[in-house]
PDB file of all heavy atoms in Angstrom:
ATOM      1  N   LEU A1064     -25.715 -13.537  -7.101  1.00  0.00           N
ATOM      2  CA  LEU A1064     -26.487 -13.356  -5.883  1.00  0.00           C
ATOM      3  C   LEU A1064     -27.901 -13.874  -6.109  1.00  0.00           C
ATOM      4  O   LEU A1064     -28.484 -13.657  -7.177  1.00  0.00           O
ATOM      5  CB  LEU A1064     -26.537 -11.880  -5.499  1.00  0.00           C
ATOM      6  CG  LEU A1064     -25.177 -11.257  -5.203  1.00  0.00           C
ATOM      7  CD1 LEU A1064     -25.310  -9.773  -4.966  1.00  0.00           C
ATOM      8  CD2 LEU A1064     -24.540 -11.931  -4.006  1.00  0.00           C
ATOM      9  N   ALA A1065     -28.458 -14.526  -5.142  1.00  0.00           N
ATOM     10  CA  ALA A1065     -29.803 -15.087  -5.268  1.00  0.00           C
ATOM     11  C   ALA A1065     -30.860 -13.991  -5.352  1.00  0.00           C
ATOM     12  O   ALA A1065     -31.849 -14.135  -6.056  1.00  0.00           O
ATOM     13  CB  ALA A1065     -30.098 -16.019  -4.094  1.00  0.00           C
ATOM     14  N   ASN A1066     -30.647 -12.900  -4.640  1.00  0.00           N
ATOM     15  CA  ASN A1066     -31.639 -11.837  -4.597  1.00  0.00           C
ATOM     16  C   ASN A1066     -30.935 -10.475  -4.601  1.00  0.00           C
ATOM     17  O   ASN A1066     -30.917  -9.774  -3.590  1.00  0.00           O
ATOM     18  CB  ASN A1066     -32.493 -11.992  -3.338  1.00  0.00           C
ATOM     19  CG  ASN A1066     -33.711 -11.118  -3.356  1.00  0.00           C
ATOM     20  OD1 ASN A1066     -34.104 -10.597  -4.395  1.00  0.00           O
ATOM     21  ND2 ASN A1066     -34.313 -10.936  -2.190  1.00  0.00           N
ATOM     22  N   PRO A1067     -30.351 -10.075  -5.763  1.00  0.00           N
ATOM     23  CA  PRO A1067     -29.610  -8.804  -5.789  1.00  0.00           C
ATOM     24  C   PRO A1067     -30.544  -7.602  -5.654  1.00  0.00           C
ATOM     25  O   PRO A1067     -31.713  -7.671  -6.010  1.00  0.00           O
ATOM     26  CB  PRO A1067     -28.939  -8.821  -7.158  1.00  0.00           C
ATOM     27  CG  PRO A1067     -29.808  -9.683  -7.998  1.00  0.00           C
ATOM     28  CD  PRO A1067     -30.374 -10.726  -7.058  1.00  0.00           C
ATOM     29  N   LEU A1068     -29.990  -6.511  -5.165  1.00  0.00           N
ATOM     30  CA  LEU A1068     -30.760  -5.276  -5.038  1.00  0.00           C
ATOM     31  C   LEU A1068     -31.170  -4.745  -6.411  1.00  0.00           C
ATOM     32  O   LEU A1068     -32.240  -4.192  -6.576  1.00  0.00           O
ATOM     33  CB  LEU A1068     -29.947  -4.215  -4.307  1.00  0.00           C
ATOM     34  CG  LEU A1068     -29.645  -4.496  -2.847  1.00  0.00           C
ATOM     35  CD1 LEU A1068     -28.693  -3.448  -2.294  1.00  0.00           C
ATOM     36  CD2 LEU A1068     -30.935  -4.522  -2.044  1.00  0.00           C
ATOM     37  N   SER A1069     -30.284  -4.926  -7.404  1.00  0.00           N
ATOM     38  CA  SER A1069     -30.566  -4.543  -8.787  1.00  0.00           C
ATOM     39  C   SER A1069     -29.582  -5.285  -9.685  1.00  0.00           C
ATOM     40  O   SER A1069     -28.665  -5.954  -9.196  1.00  0.00           O
ATOM     41  CB  SER A1069     -30.434  -3.031  -8.980  1.00  0.00           C
ATOM     42  OG  SER A1069     -29.081  -2.661  -9.057  1.00  0.00           O
ATOM     43  N   GLU A1070     -29.755  -5.156 -10.995  1.00  0.00           N
ATOM     44  CA  GLU A1070     -28.832  -5.802 -11.940  1.00  0.00           C
ATOM     45  C   GLU A1070     -27.434  -5.218 -11.837  1.00  0.00           C
ATOM     46  O   GLU A1070     -26.471  -5.854 -12.224  1.00  0.00           O
ATOM     47  CB  GLU A1070     -29.363  -5.693 -13.368  1.00  0.00           C
ATOM     48  CG  GLU A1070     -30.549  -6.601 -13.633  1.00  0.00           C
ATOM     49  CD  GLU A1070     -30.248  -8.069 -13.315  1.00  0.00           C
ATOM     50  OE1 GLU A1070     -29.210  -8.598 -13.779  1.00  0.00           O
ATOM     51  OE2 GLU A1070     -31.039  -8.682 -12.580  1.00  0.00           O
ATOM     52  N   LYS A1071     -27.292  -4.015 -11.315  1.00  0.00           N
ATOM     53  CA  LYS A1071     -25.977  -3.399 -11.117  1.00  0.00           C
ATOM     54  C   LYS A1071     -25.167  -4.139 -10.058  1.00  0.00           C
ATOM     55  O   LYS A1071     -23.948  -3.988  -9.995  1.00  0.00           O
ATOM     56  CB  LYS A1071     -26.117  -1.934 -10.725  1.00  0.00           C
ATOM     57  CG  LYS A1071     -26.431  -1.036 -11.882  1.00  0.00           C
ATOM     58  CD  LYS A1071     -25.684   0.257 -11.671  1.00  0.00           C
ATOM     59  CE  LYS A1071     -25.551   1.089 -12.878  1.00  0.00           C
ATOM     60  NZ  LYS A1071     -24.526   0.798 -13.789  1.00  0.00           N
ATOM     61  N   PHE A1072     -25.833  -4.917  -9.216  1.00  0.00           N
ATOM     62  CA  PHE A1072     -25.169  -5.633  -8.131  1.00  0.00           C
ATOM     63  C   PHE A1072     -25.490  -7.126  -8.189  1.00  0.00           C
ATOM     64  O   PHE A1072     -25.701  -7.757  -7.167  1.00  0.00           O
ATOM     65  CB  PHE A1072     -25.605  -5.057  -6.781  1.00  0.00           C
ATOM     66  CG  PHE A1072     -25.459  -3.573  -6.686  1.00  0.00           C
ATOM     67  CD1 PHE A1072     -26.571  -2.747  -6.606  1.00  0.00           C
ATOM     68  CD2 PHE A1072     -24.205  -2.989  -6.683  1.00  0.00           C
ATOM     69  CE1 PHE A1072     -26.432  -1.373  -6.514  1.00  0.00           C
ATOM     70  CE2 PHE A1072     -24.058  -1.614  -6.602  1.00  0.00           C
ATOM     71  CZ  PHE A1072     -25.170  -0.805  -6.518  1.00  0.00           C
ATOM     72  N   ALA A1073     -25.492  -7.710  -9.389  1.00  0.00           N
ATOM     73  CA  ALA A1073     -25.973  -9.076  -9.581  1.00  0.00           C
ATOM     74  C   ALA A1073     -24.941 -10.156  -9.298  1.00  0.00           C
ATOM     75  O   ALA A1073     -25.301 -11.279  -8.970  1.00  0.00           O
ATOM     76  CB  ALA A1073     -26.511  -9.242 -11.002  1.00  0.00           C
ATOM     77  N   VAL A1074     -23.635  -9.845  -9.455  1.00  0.00           N
ATOM     78  CA  VAL A1074     -22.602 -10.864  -9.264  1.00  0.00           C
ATOM     79  C   VAL A1074     -21.487 -10.334  -8.366  1.00  0.00           C
ATOM     80  O   VAL A1074     -21.312  -9.127  -8.210  1.00  0.00           O
ATOM     81  CB  VAL A1074     -22.001 -11.349 -10.613  1.00  0.00           C
ATOM     82  CG1 VAL A1074     -23.066 -11.936 -11.506  1.00  0.00           C
ATOM     83  CG2 VAL A1074     -21.258 -10.246 -11.325  1.00  0.00           C
ATOM     84  N   MET A1075     -20.735 -11.261  -7.795  1.00  0.00           N
ATOM     85  CA  MET A1075     -19.558 -10.903  -7.005  1.00  0.00           C
ATOM     86  C   MET A1075     -18.388 -10.736  -7.974  1.00  0.00           C
ATOM     87  O   MET A1075     -18.256 -11.491  -8.933  1.00  0.00           O
ATOM     88  CB  MET A1075     -19.240 -12.005  -5.990  1.00  0.00           C
ATOM     89  CG  MET A1075     -20.374 -12.302  -5.010  1.00  0.00           C
ATOM     90  SD  MET A1075     -20.777 -10.910  -3.955  1.00  0.00           S
ATOM     91  CE  MET A1075     -19.368 -10.895  -2.879  1.00  0.00           C
ATOM     92  N   ARG A1076     -17.535  -9.766  -7.723  1.00  0.00           N
ATOM     93  CA  ARG A1076     -16.443  -9.469  -8.654  1.00  0.00           C
ATOM     94  C   ARG A1076     -15.430 -10.613  -8.730  1.00  0.00           C
ATOM     95  O   ARG A1076     -14.934 -11.093  -7.717  1.00  0.00           O
ATOM     96  CB  ARG A1076     -15.750  -8.169  -8.271  1.00  0.00           C
ATOM     97  CG  ARG A1076     -15.057  -8.222  -6.927  1.00  0.00           C
ATOM     98  CD  ARG A1076     -14.455  -6.891  -6.558  1.00  0.00           C
ATOM     99  NE  ARG A1076     -13.858  -6.975  -5.227  1.00  0.00           N
ATOM    100  CZ  ARG A1076     -13.555  -5.931  -4.503  1.00  0.00           C
ATOM    101  NH1 ARG A1076     -13.786  -4.713  -4.967  1.00  0.00           N
ATOM    102  NH2 ARG A1076     -13.012  -6.079  -3.310  1.00  0.00           N
ATOM    103  N   PRO A1077     -15.097 -11.043  -9.965  1.00  0.00           N
ATOM    104  CA  PRO A1077     -14.064 -12.056 -10.136  1.00  0.00           C
ATOM    105  C   PRO A1077     -12.674 -11.430 -10.148  1.00  0.00           C
ATOM    106  O   PRO A1077     -11.663 -12.131 -10.104  1.00  0.00           O
ATOM    107  CB  PRO A1077     -14.395 -12.666 -11.494  1.00  0.00           C
ATOM    108  CG  PRO A1077     -15.040 -11.545 -12.243  1.00  0.00           C
ATOM    109  CD  PRO A1077     -15.789 -10.753 -11.208  1.00  0.00           C
ATOM    110  N   SER A1078     -12.616 -10.107 -10.238  1.00  0.00           N
ATOM    111  CA  SER A1078     -11.377  -9.351 -10.348  1.00  0.00           C
ATOM    112  C   SER A1078     -11.621  -7.983  -9.723  1.00  0.00           C
ATOM    113  O   SER A1078     -12.753  -7.497  -9.674  1.00  0.00           O
ATOM    114  CB  SER A1078     -11.017  -9.195 -11.838  1.00  0.00           C
ATOM    115  OG  SER A1078     -10.033  -8.210 -12.032  1.00  0.00           O
ATOM    116  N   LEU A1079     -10.554  -7.351  -9.281  1.00  0.00           N
ATOM    117  CA  LEU A1079     -10.658  -5.989  -8.777  1.00  0.00           C
ATOM    118  C   LEU A1079     -10.693  -4.970  -9.915  1.00  0.00           C
ATOM    119  O   LEU A1079     -11.081  -3.822  -9.719  1.00  0.00           O
ATOM    120  CB  LEU A1079      -9.466  -5.671  -7.870  1.00  0.00           C
ATOM    121  CG  LEU A1079      -9.319  -6.549  -6.626  1.00  0.00           C
ATOM    122  CD1 LEU A1079      -7.981  -6.296  -5.949  1.00  0.00           C
ATOM    123  CD2 LEU A1079     -10.460  -6.291  -5.662  1.00  0.00           C
ATOM    124  N   LEU A1080     -10.304  -5.391 -11.116  1.00  0.00           N
ATOM    125  CA  LEU A1080     -10.174  -4.452 -12.229  1.00  0.00           C
ATOM    126  C   LEU A1080     -11.473  -3.789 -12.684  1.00  0.00           C
ATOM    127  O   LEU A1080     -11.455  -2.589 -13.005  1.00  0.00           O
ATOM    128  CB  LEU A1080      -9.468  -5.124 -13.400  1.00  0.00           C
ATOM    129  CG  LEU A1080      -7.992  -5.454 -13.137  1.00  0.00           C
ATOM    130  CD1 LEU A1080      -7.399  -6.256 -14.291  1.00  0.00           C
ATOM    131  CD2 LEU A1080      -7.183  -4.194 -12.867  1.00  0.00           C
TER     132      LEU A1080
END
Side-chain angles (χ1 to χ4, degrees):
L1064 298 174
N1066 192 15
L1068 293 173
S1069 77
E1070 287 305 310
K1071 282 217 163 278
F1072 308 112
V1074 301
M1075 301 297 288
R1076 64 183 177 197
S1078 165
L1079 299 170
L1080 292 174

